[in-house]
Every structure is written in C-alpha cells, then in structure tokens.
Amino acid sequence: MNALTTRARTPAPAGRRDVGRALEALDAKHLAAVRGEPWTDLRDLLNRAEFDNVRREDQPAAAKQLLADFPTVEALDAYEAEIRRAALAPPDRQDARAMIGLMLAAFPNARPVDLGAYADSLLHYVVSDGYSPTVLAEACGQIVRKSTFAPSIAEVLAACEQARASLQSRLGIVAMVRRHRERVERRAA
C-alpha cells in the first residue's frame, strides 16, 4: 500500500474541516516567519530611502530622521537569519507528504491513473532536490491559488524554484537596506 494513501501514515486529513486546520498549521509552521510586516516594511523602507537619499543628499538632520525609520542592525540580522533558515532548511518528508496531499486534495478533478505513484514521485523529487518546507509550502499555495487543474511534477518543481528565488531576493533586499542604513548613518554623523 502507498504511504500517501495509507490513513495511518499520512498526516493529510480526510474531512474538509481537517484540511483547513492542517493548512493553517502548516502555514503557521513554515510560512508565518516569511510573510507579513518585516518583508513589506523592508521593501517600503527601501523605496522611501531611495527617494529620501536623493532628495536630502547632505542634510544631517534629515538623515537622522530617516535613520529612525530603519530597522536596527540586530533586527536585520534576525530577519536575514530567518530567511536563510526558511530557504535552506533540509527537506522534511513528513511535512512534504502532508503538503503534497493537501495540494492534491484542492483539485477535486485530479484523478491520475495512480495518485499514489504521482505523489510518491513528486515527494521523491521535492526531497532529492532539497526544497525546504517553506519553499514547498509557498509553491503548493501558489499552485492551488493560480491553477485550474492539478499540476504536473514539472510544474510543482518550477513553482518550488520560483519560491526559492523569491526567498533569495529577500536576502538581496536585506543587503540593500543594510547598505542604505550605513550610508544614512554616515550622513547623520
């Protein structure tokens, strides 16, 4: 019997209410740290800092005011560490199995000839390619939100690559915010 179809071994729930709870639990476990305020605040801050730096080139008082809006170095370090952890965490077979099962449950017309073989193959590639639970959770969520039909394995792997690239771009944003903070600190001095 297949591990994804065996009730005792799969964490994927059977009932609709259980599916919702499982999705919430997986989101809280793997996505909460990389969604929301820190990310959007850093992006907004970077846009504002670019504008303010051009507009207030050599005004120490304005630089001090802008510096107050920047996150501390410690906060940037913590956010960067969280993004790295999310992007680089080793695959978790149990959570990956649950995410794949929940993703497939979201497509009521998805009835491959052998759903277990499809899910096992997908699980193999997700784990062997080293996608972190956060990357897989984000990819599965995007597929469910944007796809009309159940995805092929290649589509899931492409979504995983896109999610991984998104996390990597956040590290770039953190690096840019650090550089702007250092420049503003020099102007404020």
Side-chain angles (χ1 to χ4, degrees), residues 21-172:
R21 287 185 189 141
L23 286 169
E24 288 173 6
L26 287 169
D27 277 1
K29 183 177 180 181
H30 297 296
L31 296 175
V34 296
R35 285 192 176 155
E37 268 188 55
W39 166 239
T40 54
D41 285 352
L42 286 178
R43 195 173 33 187
D44 292 344
L45 176 64
L46 186 61
N47 290 335
R48 192 171 71 245
E50 288 283 346
F51 176 75
D52 284 349
N53 282 339
V54 169
R55 198 170 53 126
R56 301 175 185 179
E57 192 66 31
D58 291 317
Q59 299 176 13
K64 286 179 184 177
Q65 183 180 7
L66 181 60
L67 189 59
D69 291 339
F70 276 88
T72 64
V73 171
E74 293 80 16
L76 286 170
D77 288 345
Y79 184 65
E80 181 178 18
E82 187 61 33
I83 293 296
R84 285 189 189 286
R85 183 210 56 78
L88 303 175
D92 180 314
R93 289 187 77 81
Q94 183 177 356
D95 282 352
R97 182 178 286 116
M99 287 181 241
I100 291 167
L102 290 166
M103 179 188 66
L104 292 174
F107 295 98
N109 297 330
R111 301 290 176 247
V113 174
D114 188 347
L115 184 60
Y118 168 84
D120 282 345
S121 295
L122 181 54
L123 179 63
H124 166 76
Y125 286 112
V126 164
V127 171
S128 68
D129 288 356
Y131 294 116
S132 72
T134 301
V135 167
L136 180 59
E138 185 63 32
C140 288
Q142 289 301 315
I143 287 169
V144 169
R145 284 185 206 85
K146 295 180 179 180
S147 297
T148 305
F149 300 102
S152 68
I153 290 174
E155 289 170 318
V156 175
L157 297 177
C160 286
E161 279 302 316
Q162 188 175 19
R164 185 185 277 170
S166 174
L167 287 174
Q168 293 296 332
S169 74
R170 292 177 188 198
L171 291 173

Side-chain angles (χ1 to χ4, degrees), residues 1-15 18:
M1 210 183 287
N2 184 304
L4 282 171
T5 58
T6 305
R7 181 184 291 274
R9 291 185 57 192
T10 181
D18 292 337

